Amino acid sequence: MFAIMTVTGKDHTGIIAAVSTALANVGVNIHNVSQTIMDEWFTMILHVGFNEDELDIATIQNEMVPVERDQDLVIRIQSEALFSAVNEI
């Protein structure tokens, strides 16, 4: 299954490392990533893939809670199908 993850927060060292490490620890593969810094704000969009027989989006979101808290970020994930449907309107 594929999903889209967004990460936003005040820019600081270690954001990409924290997010990618947490994803790797639960078996999520990053297929594509786009990130930018606007003034002092960091934004990143990731296209990720995972085995939906072993993992679901709610579990991934829950696994990102410590990263959100430790890095002072907002992280959201949704299925690629839902993301595409909403953005095609």
Side-chain angles (χ1 to χ4, degrees):
M1 175 177 210
F2 294 104
I4 304 297
M5 175 178 279
T6 60
V7 179
T8 57
K10 191 168 183 180
D11 184 43
H12 61 274
T13 302
I15 295 173
I16 295 172
V19 171
S20 61
T21 298
L23 290 173
N25 286 341
V26 294
V28 175
N29 189 33
I30 299 171
H31 290 269
N32 198 352
V33 61
S34 174
Q35 64 91 29
T36 191
I37 299 169
M38 298 184 299
D39 295 321
E40 62 190 50
W41 299 101
F42 175 89
T43 61
M44 179 167 62
I45 301 172
L46 301 101
H47 181 246
V48 299
F50 56 94
N51 183 339
E52 64 185 314
D53 293 332
E54 299 174 6
L55 195 58
D56 62 17
I57 288 179
T59 301
I60 297 168
Q61 184 72 59
N62 288 336
E63 291 292 328
M64 300 310 291
V65 170
V67 178
E68 285 183 295
R69 183 181 56 247
D70 295 344
Q71 298 291 319
D72 195 23
L73 301 169
V74 176
I75 301 173
R76 298 292 174 259
I77 186 168
Q78 60 184 304
S79 74
E80 181 182 44
L82 177 60
F83 180 85
S84 295
V86 168
N87 288 292
E88 287 177 4
I89 295 176

